Structures are given as C-alpha cells and as structure tokens.
Amino acid sequence: MATDKEKVKELLIKTIYGVSASEMKTIIDVDQDVALKVIQELKEEREDIQSLGEGSNPEELVLYSIGEIIP
C-alpha cells in the first residue's frame, strides 16, 4: 500500500492542470494538512513543484503539480 507521500507525489506527477490540497481527500484519501506538509517536503527535496494562484489564494486552494501546469 502506498504511503501518503507516495500518493501525493503520484497525483502531482499525473496532473497537468494542477490539483489543490483541499481536493486530495476526495481524490486520494489524504487530508489537506498532510498533503500540504508533503508538498513542502517535496519542495525541500527539490522536486519540480509548480503552483498556480500562490500568494493570491489560501494555501489549500493553490493548484500544485510536478512539472508544468497548463492553465
């Protein structure tokens, strides 16, 4: 069984439109707070985390992806 970190990373790799932490409970059964911590860990590990809406939206509503986000 995949860990929360593995599930979040896989989802971020697969999405080209970005996904918010608030959607992760519904999509992959990972709580938003856990997802945000994992995203921060991935950034610290130098993964290519892209974001859309950062700074103008609450953190849980920002769209994240590994790789380019197609708006």
Side-chain angles (χ1 to χ4, degrees):
M1 180 176 269
T3 66
D4 288 345
K5 185 173 183 176
E6 291 167 337
K7 291 193 280 186
V8 169
K9 185 175 180 178
E10 184 177 328
L11 179 61
L12 292 175
I13 289 170
K14 289 182 177 180
T15 182
I16 59 172
Y17 301 107
V19 63
S20 70
S22 66
E23 298 172 295
M24 292 193 186
K25 179 68 176 172
T26 303
I27 299 169
I28 57 173
D29 197 30
V30 174
D31 289 329
Q32 127 182 336
D33 293 340
V34 173
L36 288 170
K37 287 177 186 172
V38 168
I39 290 167
Q40 185 58 43
E41 285 178 24
L42 292 171
K43 286 180 178 180
E44 291 169 5
E45 293 170 5
R46 300 191 184 268
E47 282 290 342
D48 183 24
I49 302 288
Q50 301 294 311
S51 62
L52 186 63
E54 199 166 31
S56 59
N57 291 299
E59 185 178 36
E60 66 274 6
L61 298 179
V62 172
L63 297 178
Y64 296 100
S65 179
I66 292 180
E68 185 178 354
I69 295 175
I70 298 173

